[in-house]
Amino acid sequence: IQSVGYILYHLGYDPDEMKGPVIYIIDLYVTEVKRHIGIGKMLIDMVRTECKNIDGICTFIYCWNKNKKAIKFYDHLGCERINDLILYSTK
């Protein structure tokens, strides 16, 4: 058996209104030769189903603003961009 991709996520809460649990997808990867056949969408759908199963209100996806392929993919899925968040790094 050979892996063709993975998705990493964790549970959290709505940062603004605390109305319920959310899931944060922090990494999604599909091997280049297996892209464009629905694996990425399937992985995201699995996490979205998990969110519904825990009565979650939303799934957030982290995406680096220079990752144009990922942005195109998430836009194609109909994901809503949230432009008013700032990501901080500590060193």
Side-chain angles (χ1 to χ4, degrees), residues 25-91:
I25 296 174
I26 57 173
D27 198 11
L28 170 66
Y29 175 76
V30 176
T31 59
E32 201 158 336
V33 297
K34 294 294 184 178
R35 292 179 188 168
H36 307 289
I37 61 172
I39 293 171
K41 181 182 182 316
M42 179 192 68
L43 290 169
I44 288 175
D45 287 345
M46 289 171 58
V47 173
R48 292 176 71 194
T49 298
E50 177 66 19
C51 190
K52 290 177 186 175
N53 289 342
I54 62 168
D55 294 323
I57 58 170
C58 186
T59 301
F60 291 105
I61 304 170
Y62 290 105
C63 181
W64 188 35
N65 65 351
K66 294 183 181 184
N67 189 340
K68 302 302 181 195
K69 288 181 182 180
I71 291 168
K72 183 177 178 182
F73 173 68
Y74 298 132
D75 286 345
H76 176 76
L77 291 181
C79 299
E80 178 185 349
R81 288 189 197 194
I82 303 172
N83 293 319
D84 59 346
L85 295 178
I86 299 171
L87 180 63
Y88 287 95
S89 172
T90 61
K91 294 183 180 186

